[in-house]
Amino acid sequence: MKIGLALSGGGTKGLAHIGVIKVLEKNQIPIDFIAGTSAGAIIGGIYASGTPIKDIEKKIMEMKSRDFLGFILDLSKPQGGIVKAEKIMSFVESLISKRMIEEFKIPFAAISADIRNFKEVVIDKGDALTAIRASIAYPGLVKPVKINDMILVDGGIVNNLPMDVVKERGSDIVIGVKFEDFTREFKLNYKNVVWRSIKMMESCLTCLKIKNIENSILITPNIKGISTFSISQKLARLSIRRGESAAKKEIPRIKEMINNLG
């Protein structure tokens, strides 16, 4: 039996993935494949490479607010995006134990979107840093990645929760981790209209993609009060704890599904 893990994007909210993985490990739930989008590609990729989850958490908890801010203020001349993402990739490189995906401890795939050819791109081999960098290239903010004839941006615009990719790679049970942060109350301004419209499209697409996936469980950490670009260590810690809390609630269901499938 194979158990796969799909990790969604979400910026600082994505640190909840650390908490989820900690709880899965503690309950001896094996992970045989990981697919991640954006923040999910960062955490999932580092962990799949062989880096212990406690080391990832320790590195995060050693960071200061200025370090988180540095990821956002890593600016360049606008060339499809104003953030170079060199600082965040240096952080990833400092933690990743293997450079080539084929050498990873756990099979891994990072999700990107090719805006030149209008297609989803699943990178499951080759240089891990390039795969992760392409998956976090948030449109208009982070510079895209050019590979051959492709121009790759954040996979969230085509598949923010790649449970289907995990299933297609042979997983009998699929565990997905996603974030719901919509409230009915919000200020009517340009930023919120654009942001919520993008998130609505993303959410509807995700629902369609995961609708008919058998033997799947969705973990939805409560990320109220945590934004995509939160720069506080306190909120980073809170995100991890929220991931732990949400995962603990689903452990009985996961174990029951494992037992039912033999």
Side-chain angles (χ1 to χ4, degrees):
M1 181 185 297
K2 293 184 178 181
I3 300 174
L5 183 64
L7 304 178
S8 70
T12 305
K13 294 176 288 189
L15 296 178
H17 297 318
I18 295 174
V20 170
I21 294 172
K22 284 176 62 180
V23 171
L24 293 177
E25 276 195 353
K26 185 175 181 179
N27 286 273
Q28 299 180 319
I29 307 295
I31 302 173
D32 301 295
F33 182 82
I34 299 176
T37 299
S38 200
I42 292 177
I43 303 301
I46 295 172
Y47 180 69
S49 76
T51 304
I53 196 65
K54 60 180 176 57
D55 291 350
I56 303 175
E57 181 180 26
K58 182 175 182 292
K59 187 80 170 181
I60 293 291
M61 289 299 96
E62 289 174 348
M63 294 174 62
K64 307 297 182 184
S65 294
R66 63 175 178 271
D67 298 318
F68 290 103
L69 184 61
F71 291 157
I72 301 172
L73 297 181
D74 184 17
L75 305 177
S76 69
K77 295 180 180 179
Q79 292 179 319
I82 60 173
V83 175
K84 292 183 289 187
E86 291 178 357
K87 290 184 179 180
I88 193 169
M89 290 312 299
S90 293
F91 168 81
V92 173
E93 187 173 12
S94 71
L95 277 169
I96 207 161
S97 64
K98 300 289 184 181
R99 283 293 297 269
M100 301 301 290
I101 296 177
E102 294 89 335
E103 300 174 335
F104 276 16
K105 181 180 178 180
I106 301 171
F108 169 74
I111 313 303
S112 296
D114 177 7
I115 57 173
R116 169 171 281 168
N117 301 296
F118 277 31
K119 65 179 183 180
E120 178 180 336
V121 176
V122 179
I123 305 178
D124 58 4
K125 58 177 65 71
D127 182 70
L129 293 177
T130 301
I132 294 171
R133 172 63 180 81
S135 188
I136 69 170
Y138 195 88
L141 180 64
V142 181
K143 291 176 62 175
V145 173
K146 294 182 180 180
I147 300 179
N148 300 323
D149 72 329
M150 300 185 295
I151 299 178
L152 302 180
V153 299
D154 193 309
I157 68 172
V158 288
N159 195 351
N160 195 48
L161 182 62
M163 294 175 69
D164 58 327
V165 174
V166 173
K167 190 67 174 180
E168 289 165 4
R169 293 305 194 275
S171 297
D172 301 293
I173 294 175
V174 180
I175 301 171
V177 185
K178 70 186 291 287
F179 312 106
E180 292 290 355
D181 56 352
F182 301 122
T183 60
R184 293 179 60 85
E185 301 298 327
F186 71 98
K187 293 181 179 179
L188 187 61
N189 56 41
Y190 173 79
K191 175 186 174 183
N192 282 332
V193 168
V194 172
W195 178 257
R196 290 175 70 91
S197 296
I198 292 173
K199 288 301 176 182
M200 182 176 177
M201 289 187 291
E202 180 184 285
S203 180
C204 290
L205 182 57
T206 295
C207 287
L208 288 174
K209 279 184 167 288
I210 70 175
K211 184 177 180 180
N212 297 313
I213 297 178
E214 295 181 349
N215 301 320
S216 62
I217 291 177
L218 197 59
I219 298 174
T220 55
N222 172 14
I223 42 72
K224 183 178 180 180
I226 305 170
S227 72
T228 300
F229 303 110
S230 291
I231 59 172
S232 162
Q233 186 193 57
K234 178 181 178 181
L235 292 178
R237 185 186 301 274
L238 179 61
S239 185
I240 294 174
R241 300 295 173 258
R242 295 271 183 84
E244 291 182 50
S245 178
K248 287 176 182 177
K249 293 177 182 178
E250 299 299 336
I251 288 298
R253 289 184 60 216
I254 295 172
K255 289 184 176 181
E256 181 182 11
M257 187 172 290
I258 291 173
N259 290 333
N260 289 342
L261 292 177

